[in-house]
Amino acid sequence: MTSPYQSLQHTEAVARFDLLTVEEYDIRLDLASDERTFGSVTTIRFTSRGGATFVDLKPTRVNEIRFNGVVLDPDLLERGRLPLDTVAGANELVVDAVMPFRNDGEGLHRSVDPADGKSYVYGMSFMDAAPTIFACFDQPDLKAPYTFHVRAPEDWVVIGNAPGSNPEKGVWEFERTQPLSTYFVTLVAGPYHLIRDEHDGIPLGLSARASVAKDLDADADELFTMTKQCFDEFHRLFGIRYPFGDYHQAFVPEFNAGAMENPGCVTFRDPLIFSSRVTRGMRIARATTLAHEMAHQWFGNIVTPKWWDDLWLNESFAEYMGNRVTADVTQYADVWSDMAYARRQWGLVADQRPSTHPVAGNGAFDASAALQDFDGISYSKGSAVLKQLNATLGDDVFFAGAIDHFTRHRFGNATMHDLFESWERAGAGDLSSFTSNWLRTAGPDALVLDRAAGVIRRTPPAEHPAERTHTFRAAVAVDGAWEDRTVEVTGPETPFVVPEGAPVVIDAYDETWAVAQADPATVRSLVPLLADVKDGHLRAGVWNNVRSALHNAAIDPADVLDLVVASPPVEDPEDTLRRTWTWVFSWVVPLAPTGAAARVHEAALEAMVAATPGSERQLAALRAAIRSADDEAILRGWLAVPPVGIDMDLDLRWKVLVRLAAIGAADRDELQRALDAEPTARSRVEHTLAVASLPDAEAKAWAWARFTGEVDVPNYELEAAASGMWRGGQEAITAPYVDRYFTDLPETVRVRSGWVLADAAEFYFPGNVLSEDLLERARAAAADQTLDLSVRRRLVDRADELARKLAVRKAFPHS
Ligand SMILES: [Zn+2]
């Protein structure tokens, strides 16, 4: 079973680039005629060297296609491609089509807000989705200016990549854009709540659904202030002004990614508009996302990678620059230690998988394969490596090279080689060894302390050997007092002698990229000590060392559990609980001795009681306590009488209801009443999660019908249903679906594509089963060449996680 559409291959992109120059797009959309489809008339003017090619088009139906004045037969359209026999010189293609509104977060996504029944639309052209909005040559290096004309319901506002006007009710005319790649052409349309501001000559805007208007208003100051601070800093560092006119930031419903950097009109997932109380860590995550998308206006939008094998030129730079600028100029100076919790393991785990790839030159042969490389390597590892490069080159050379790159390729495309040439012109010297060791070679070295031998051992990954030097600080506690030692690891063994039993945290402050692992003695000796560690970044280093060691079956989960239980009451920054809890539940509790869940729950309760009422630590601890509770009375007690300092807002009430459902203490009527009482978008997703979590066969069949597509639901509800499906303790009820996963998975390509195809394959993987049999079946399916490539990639990754957990259980059997 293959996808109904063909993804563009690199070789095809090269051929089409050699043939064509696109002069302009003129696009006329009618969003007012129908709720399921919209009208789309695209005129493309381009010059050609003459010869055969194709245009990308994925319509519901075609009204008329006119090419150089001649009507073409719509039946020529096959798997999303319309063949064109171009003439040398000027060509004009006019495609009049009806396109589908989608509900999977791609193309032109339309959703109805359950709170008030209002409809919202936004465009997500990335990665293969532009042709479901307009006919186009869908590849990053065929840039052209766009002019949009939109008809929309009269009470809607419409925002695009360029400034627009509203000459008459329901009619929107947009200025011609700068040259844009197809993948970041967008449109945001609906009865959005809009707030405007201005900074340094740049008109600024924010928008969100009307039903969350007051929440957007509450945070508008913070969002505008950060936007202004970041613009000033990017202008100072890059010396080139933001060139895309207005800068609008739209918070849109059911968005798959964190955000998308469309020039002039960035789209964000709207859970980032906080309707319930959140912790500082969630605000930091939003701040870095905002800065990340701004960095893309330069790295990505002014200069765009020629092909997806260089997507690190977008993501690694945006991640590094976004984090750096947030830390340097906004109120969130503690970004780097927060990132150590939030992002580092994401990158390290991805880099240790069989599916690892180099940061640069990932070899993406088609666009859909490239989508799978938007992972912890392209973001977290890429950012870490660029931070190292910046430290090596210094700001002067680093930014002189970047400015040279932006200037030479302004509104065009470039490759990694172009950027390295720019750096060399800026005086960087020969970067070839840095490039080959850190950017072109996949996989991380392992750094492990051998106490008996008095050395730190460096082990490169067997499949990707490299000679890498690591310079970092290790933290050592001598008689309970922490000291930092600078270490340079240049070979397989580096002398490192510590007093007997002293805990050692290798690369405690993320100064290199390596799998630094805690040794067993360190974990045990940390149990009484971690409480007194005041440095937030060092504590993050401790957890990263511990997580990496458990990931490699090097330490006993029983020891890890002792550390987890001993440490939550003292963690700071206060969001550590939130950052580590998912890992505790997926990696520590199932592998530690029986009774682990109860001990974790007790620790969370103690942390909550010890926390200052009203503090974020109290909130984080309560969340952890809810998630681990098995006692209906305590959960209902919190609903009836919240702990002092806690407002049982919508978020917390649903967390309790979901937990009650999972332990079989809530029924469908109660969940339905909660949804009816406050029918927000958030409630609808949480209701789905709760129903899928119920411990009965009906609930699992209900969740499964969403996976197979028998019941079609928007992307957020699909993900929620998957998250409730495979609860620990419900193995007997979910057992029949292990078989069904493997039989139904290949057919899901009939009902979904892109992001959600791969996400559903990952999230519906049997998550409560730890068995060799499942591992074998997962590996066999991953090797099945007839399966969609993105699905196979997720199977490889889930199989790796399972294999590692089985290795821990084998090394340290507890149950
Ligand atoms: Zn990005």
Side-chain angles (χ1 to χ4, degrees):
M1 186 66 219
T2 49
S3 155
Y5 297 122
Q6 281 171 274
S7 192
L8 186 72
Q9 295 185 7
H10 189 190
T11 49
E12 295 170 331
V14 169
R16 202 160 59 173
F17 176 84
D18 287 343
L19 188 70
L20 306 181
T21 303
V22 186
E23 307 298 337
E24 65 170 342
Y25 286 88
D26 184 277
I27 298 170
R28 204 165 278 282
L29 299 181
D30 181 358
L31 310 180
S33 53
D34 183 355
E35 289 182 2
R36 302 183 64 86
T37 59
F38 59 95
S40 167
V41 182
T42 310
T43 303
I44 314 177
R45 295 187 185 91
F46 62 95
T47 53
S48 171
R49 296 160 64 92
T53 186
F54 57 91
V55 70
D56 300 289
L57 175 63
K58 302 170 182 174
T60 300
R61 65 172 193 275
V62 170
N63 291 330
E64 186 184 78
I65 300 170
R66 206 172 264 276
F67 183 46
N68 293 332
V70 177
V71 173
L72 296 188
D73 180 359
D75 287 344
L76 293 172
L77 185 62
E78 193 181 352
R79 294 191 68 200
R81 296 177 173 187
L82 179 76
L84 296 177
D85 199 3
T86 66
V87 297
N91 290 257
E92 184 182 86
L93 175 71
V94 183
V95 175
D96 180 347
V98 175
M99 301 288 198
F101 281 121
R102 293 170 63 170
N103 70 353
D104 61 356
E106 297 192 72
L108 214 50
H109 179 98
R110 182 184 179 113
S111 73
V112 178
D113 187 341
D116 54 17
K118 294 182 183 204
S119 294
Y120 295 91
V121 165
Y122 62 84
M124 179 62 168
S125 298
F126 192 89
M127 166 76 89
D128 275 340
T132 69
I133 307 175
F134 52 91
C136 56
F137 300 108
D138 190 18
Q139 63 188 68
D141 58 352
L142 285 176
K143 285 187 174 182
Y146 288 74
T147 307
F148 271 86
H149 320 268
V150 180
R151 195 170 83 85
E154 293 186 359
D155 59 335
W156 285 20
V157 292
V158 184
I159 299 151
N161 294 102
S165 63
N166 187 197
E168 58 183 284
K169 273 189 185 281
V171 175
W172 296 79
E173 294 289 338
F174 290 85
E175 294 174 16
R176 184 179 159 107
T177 67
Q178 300 285 11
L180 304 180
S181 298
T182 44
Y183 77 85
F184 46 57
V185 172
T186 195
L187 202 68
V188 169
Y192 282 94
H193 174 62
L194 259 174
I195 312 174
R196 296 190 190 280
D197 199 345
E198 184 272 342
H199 179 66
D200 190 18
I202 304 169
L204 305 176
L206 295 170
S207 58
R209 284 177 288 129
S211 67
V212 295
K214 70 171 178 22
D215 303 312
L216 181 66
D217 289 346
D219 280 354
D221 265 357
E222 176 175 332
L223 295 166
F224 277 135
T225 298
M226 289 189 305
T227 305
K228 294 170 188 179
Q229 290 167 328
C230 292
F231 262 131
D232 289 347
E233 183 69 352
F234 283 123
H235 284 152
R236 185 182 77 80
L237 293 172
F238 293 150
I240 290 170
R241 280 188 62 84
Y242 168 76
F244 296 106
D246 297 11
Y247 193 72
H248 188 86
Q249 296 172 102
F251 293 84
V252 298
E254 297 167 339
F255 198 70
N256 286 317
M260 177 67 205
E261 65 266 22
N262 318 298
C265 186
V266 175
T267 41
F268 293 82
R269 61 190 296 125
D270 71 6
L272 290 173
I273 294 301
F274 303 132
S275 296
S276 292
R277 193 167 153 231
V278 296
T279 54
R280 179 177 175 81
M282 291 167 80
R283 290 189 180 276
I284 291 177
R286 183 173 69 181
T288 53
T289 303
L290 180 146
H292 174 114
E293 305 312 324
M294 293 182 74
H296 270 312
Q297 305 306 318
W298 286 263
F299 278 110
N301 296 357
I302 292 178
V303 183
T304 308
K306 190 156 174 57
W307 180 247
W308 302 113
D309 55 351
D310 265 332
L311 74 88
W312 75 286
L313 291 174
N314 278 2
E315 297 312 335
S316 305
F317 277 91
E319 186 78 359
Y320 167 63
M321 292 304 307
N323 291 344
R324 173 182 163 144
V325 166
T326 307
D328 289 351
V329 304
T330 76
Q331 61 176 304
Y332 300 112
D334 49 339
V335 161
W336 291 114
S337 62
D338 191 76
M339 282 292 139
Y341 283 115
R343 300 282 238 191
R344 192 162 175 86
Q345 285 295 319
W346 181 37
L348 285 170
V349 166
D351 208 15
Q352 292 172 79
R353 286 177 182 144
S355 59
T356 186
H357 56 85
V359 171
N362 57 36
F365 93 100
D366 73 15
S368 105
L371 184 58
Q372 298 311 309
D373 290 330
F374 280 77
D375 58 10
I377 296 169
S378 298
Y379 289 77
S380 178
K381 181 181 181 179
S383 165
V385 171
L386 286 176
K387 201 174 174 209
Q388 287 180 55
L389 181 63
N390 174 264
T392 308
L393 297 181
D395 266 357
D396 286 352
V397 171
F398 187 85
F399 288 113
I403 290 165
D404 183 76
H405 182 70
F406 298 143
T407 308
R408 282 172 187 271
H409 310 287
R410 184 176 175 84
F411 299 135
N413 299 77
T415 65
M416 173 175 72
H417 298 289
D418 296 323
L419 178 61
F420 279 83
E421 278 174 25
S422 288
W423 268 324
E424 280 168 23
R425 272 192 292 275
D430 180 11
L431 292 170
S432 57
S433 119
F434 183 91
T435 310
S436 73
N437 278 336
W438 295 100
L439 291 170
R440 302 301 301 265
T441 306
D445 292 344
L447 298 176
V448 181
L449 176 68
D450 183 337
R451 278 175 196 272
V455 296
I456 290 175
R457 295 193 191 285
R458 183 197 71 189
T459 313
E463 307 78 22
H464 310 284
E467 274 297 321
R468 283 177 283 243
T469 297
H470 301 270
T471 307
F472 56 83
R473 284 170 293 163
V476 184
V478 180
D479 298 327
W482 288 91
E483 58 185 49
D484 292 337
R485 297 189 193 171
T486 298
V487 186
E488 190 174 53
V489 170
T490 55
E493 292 184 354
T494 303
F496 196 83
V497 178
V498 291
E500 196 181 335
V504 175
V505 186
I506 299 172
D507 188 24
Y509 309 97
D510 313 324
E511 289 158 316
T512 187
W513 183 259
V515 184
Q517 300 178 37
D519 69 314
T522 288
V523 181
R524 285 192 291 269
S525 60
L526 275 168
V527 172
L529 287 181
L530 188 55
D532 295 323
V533 174
K534 300 291 181 226
D535 181 330
H537 207 149
L538 173 55
R539 265 192 307 278
V542 167
W543 285 116
N544 277 322
N545 272 232
V546 168
R547 291 175 68 166
S548 287
L550 186 62
H551 195 71
N552 285 283
I555 52 176
D556 189 333
D559 292 338
V560 178
L561 178 65
D562 288 344
L563 188 63
V564 167
V565 166
S567 55
V570 297
E571 287 302 325
D572 186 56
E574 312 189 7
D575 226 27
T576 311
L577 277 168
R578 187 176 71 87
R579 297 287 195 212
T580 51
W581 226 238
T582 298
W583 167 74
V584 167
F585 280 100
S586 64
W587 274 88
V588 184
V589 169
L591 296 166
T594 320
R599 285 186 67 198
V600 163
H601 180 63
E602 283 302 314
L605 285 179
E606 279 173 31
M608 188 181 80
V609 172
T612 310
S615 65
E616 290 179 6
R617 186 181 304 174
Q618 181 198 27
L619 178 62
L622 173 63
R623 285 182 175 163
I626 293 170
R627 190 167 168 181
S628 52
D630 275 334
D631 180 352
E632 178 179 358
I634 194 170
L635 289 164
R636 294 210 178 273
W638 284 326
L639 278 183
V641 186
V644 174
I646 294 290
D647 169 22
M648 288 302 280
D649 55 27
L650 186 72
D651 181 68
L652 287 173
R653 286 200 303 281
W654 272 111
K655 280 195 163 52
V656 172
L657 281 171
V658 166
R659 188 62 198 164
L660 284 168
I663 63 172
D667 62 22
R668 287 174 177 76
D669 288 347
E670 180 178 11
L671 300 176
Q672 188 62 47
R673 280 198 305 276
L675 175 60
D676 293 343
E678 223 173 330
T680 66
R682 177 68 194 273
S683 297
R684 195 167 58 180
V685 173
E686 295 292 335
H687 175 263
T688 300
L689 173 61
V691 172
S693 301
L694 288 165
D696 59 51
E698 187 191 337
K700 304 310 171 190
W702 185 90
W704 204 257
R706 280 143 182 81
F707 177 53
T708 58
E710 190 186 322
V711 177
D712 179 35
V713 292
N715 47 344
Y716 279 22
E717 288 168 56
L718 179 70
E719 183 181 333
S723 303
M725 178 80 202
W726 301 98
R727 292 268 175 191
Q730 300 181 354
E731 291 80 1
I733 305 161
T734 53
Y737 292 96
V738 178
D739 272 347
R740 290 200 53 185
Y741 177 76
F742 292 102
T743 50
D744 292 347
L745 180 65
E747 299 299 313
T748 57
V749 76
R750 291 178 194 272
V751 292
R752 59 183 71 98
S753 64
W755 290 74
V756 291
L757 172 67
D759 278 356
E762 179 176 345
F763 298 149
Y764 271 97
F765 186 85
N768 61 3
V769 182
L770 270 186
S771 76
E772 296 286 350
D773 178 56
L774 177 60
L775 178 59
E776 267 177 43
R777 298 186 68 175
R779 283 182 169 157
D784 179 354
Q785 306 278 339
T786 66
L787 265 186
D788 181 274
L789 203 61
S790 68
V791 169
R792 290 171 60 197
R793 166 73 183 269
R794 301 300 179 97
L795 282 168
V796 167
D797 294 350
R798 290 301 304 249
D800 181 58
E801 182 185 337
L802 179 58
R804 287 172 179 276
K805 285 179 179 171
L806 290 168
V808 173
R809 197 165 69 177
K810 194 169 172 199
F812 305 98
H814 286 296
S815 49

